[in-house]
Amino acid sequence: MITSKGSMFSILFLVLTHTAFQSTYAQDDVPNVPGMETDRPDATEASSVVPKGFLQVETGGLYESFKQNDIKFERTVYNTTLIRYGLLDNFEFRLGWNYEEQTISGVANSFNGLSPLLFGMKVAIAEEKNGMPEIALIGHLFLPFSASTDFKPNTTGADFRFSLSHSLSENTSIGYNIGAQWGNDSSEIAYIYTVAYGIGLTDKIGFYAELYGDLPENSSANHFWDAGFTYLLKPTIQFDATIGSGITKGQDILLSAGVSFRVPN
């Protein structure tokens, strides 16, 4: 059951979505609108930036669970919202904030609230040319003061990654990320990787499959897979759905669905 705060965020999301949909439908009548690429639903961040003067909202929900020694851990994120704004032709500003709930079987109280605010940027470095990939650099800070008590760390988290992509054919591509992250009040660095294969089944429907994970310096590596579909309702509105699981221990099931939309300046 969603808490009262969760209900408030759900209502706010519905209002924002409705307003944005009206704007995006109006935008569809504008010629030469740049094609939309999103950083969801997979873990692989796109190597493209949002065009200058455009606001792009990517949001949704997810559920994941893990069972160990008859104890079940569950995490539900009611909105995984990322807001991207194109400040320059090669630079975008990024804000993200999640409202989530975590439960442990046998424990009466659940943990719920806002995760640390994500504050970051993406810079386009190179276009795909002569067999070389499109390349972008992405960096984020995770600010402790913005989080609810249940999810408030003592130190600021950070990550960075290089995002690269190749077009394999007219309707297939491969994208991959490599980088590192710090967080959860640990000084230990974790190296991160993702590899995603995408194919356009039709002009509106796409499919992807992905491997991703992290390799902490002093802990066991974590590896995962997921796969899903995207549906382009309009040039500026995209829906998605995903299923995944862990290859190593740590995730039994991942389910996710969401929507992304772009609003002109």
Side-chain angles (χ1 to χ4, degrees):
M1 179 177 180
I2 300 177
T3 64
S4 58
K5 286 185 178 180
S7 299
M8 178 185 69
F9 276 90
S10 298
I11 293 170
L12 181 61
F13 164 69
L14 291 174
V15 172
L16 176 63
T17 302
H18 175 76
T19 304
F21 274 26
Q22 298 302 316
S23 299
T24 53
Y25 271 91
Q27 181 186 346
D28 291 336
D29 297 330
V30 180
N32 302 320
V33 174
M36 186 172 70
E37 292 188 54
T38 64
D39 282 349
R40 63 166 299 123
D42 54 5
T44 301
E45 306 278 21
S47 56
S48 60
V49 299
V50 173
K52 181 181 178 180
F54 286 80
L55 178 72
Q56 191 161 301
V57 180
E58 305 177 12
T59 189
L62 69 83
Y63 168 83
E64 61 180 347
S65 67
F66 170 58
K67 189 173 183 180
Q68 185 178 36
N69 299 327
D70 295 326
I71 299 176
K72 188 174 184 179
F73 302 84
E74 296 177 285
R75 175 173 176 253
T76 304
V77 182
Y78 298 116
N79 67 300
T80 60
T81 300
L82 175 66
I83 299 173
R84 305 167 59 192
Y85 181 74
L87 287 175
L88 302 171
D89 291 335
N90 66 338
F91 183 92
E92 73 174 48
F93 172 73
R94 300 159 66 86
L95 283 176
W97 221 355
N98 298 342
Y99 185 88
E100 61 183 87
E101 181 177 31
Q102 296 182 16
T103 60
I104 304 173
S105 61
V107 177
N109 295 327
S110 62
F111 304 95
N112 61 77
L114 292 165
S115 62
L117 177 72
L118 173 152
F119 175 84
M121 58 82 187
K122 183 190 290 189
V123 181
I125 297 176
E127 297 181 354
E128 184 177 3
K129 187 176 182 180
N130 299 326
M132 298 299 292
E134 183 177 67
I135 305 172
L137 173 63
I138 307 170
H140 301 123
L141 295 176
F142 300 88
L143 307 177
F145 66 84
S146 61
S148 301
T149 301
D150 288 343
F151 300 107
K152 187 174 183 178
N154 293 317
T155 59
T156 300
D159 70 15
F160 78 91
R161 66 180 68 194
F162 289 95
S163 176
L164 305 93
S165 65
H166 289 276
S167 298
L168 302 178
S169 68
E170 185 176 347
N171 63 340
T172 60
S173 64
I174 185 170
Y176 45 100
N177 295 172
I178 185 168
Q181 61 188 13
W182 302 259
N184 298 321
D185 292 331
S186 173
S187 59
E188 178 183 26
I189 188 173
Y191 300 99
I192 54 179
Y193 74 91
T194 74
V195 181
Y197 171 79
I199 180 170
L201 301 177
T202 70
D203 290 340
K204 293 182 176 293
I205 300 174
F207 170 81
Y208 83 91
E210 175 184 49
L211 296 174
Y212 64 101
D214 61 79
L215 297 88
E217 286 183 305
N218 302 313
S219 307
S220 299
N222 303 290
H223 305 290
F224 308 89
W225 70 268
D226 61 19
F229 291 90
T230 60
Y231 176 71
L232 194 66
L233 177 66
K234 302 284 286 185
T236 52
I237 304 174
Q238 178 179 281
F239 293 96
D240 61 69
T242 295
I243 186 171
S245 184
I247 298 172
T248 53
K249 293 181 179 180
Q251 187 185 84
D252 294 331
I253 186 68
L254 166 70
L255 300 172
S256 175
V259 61
S260 303
F261 47 86
R262 179 182 287 174
V263 183
N265 192 358

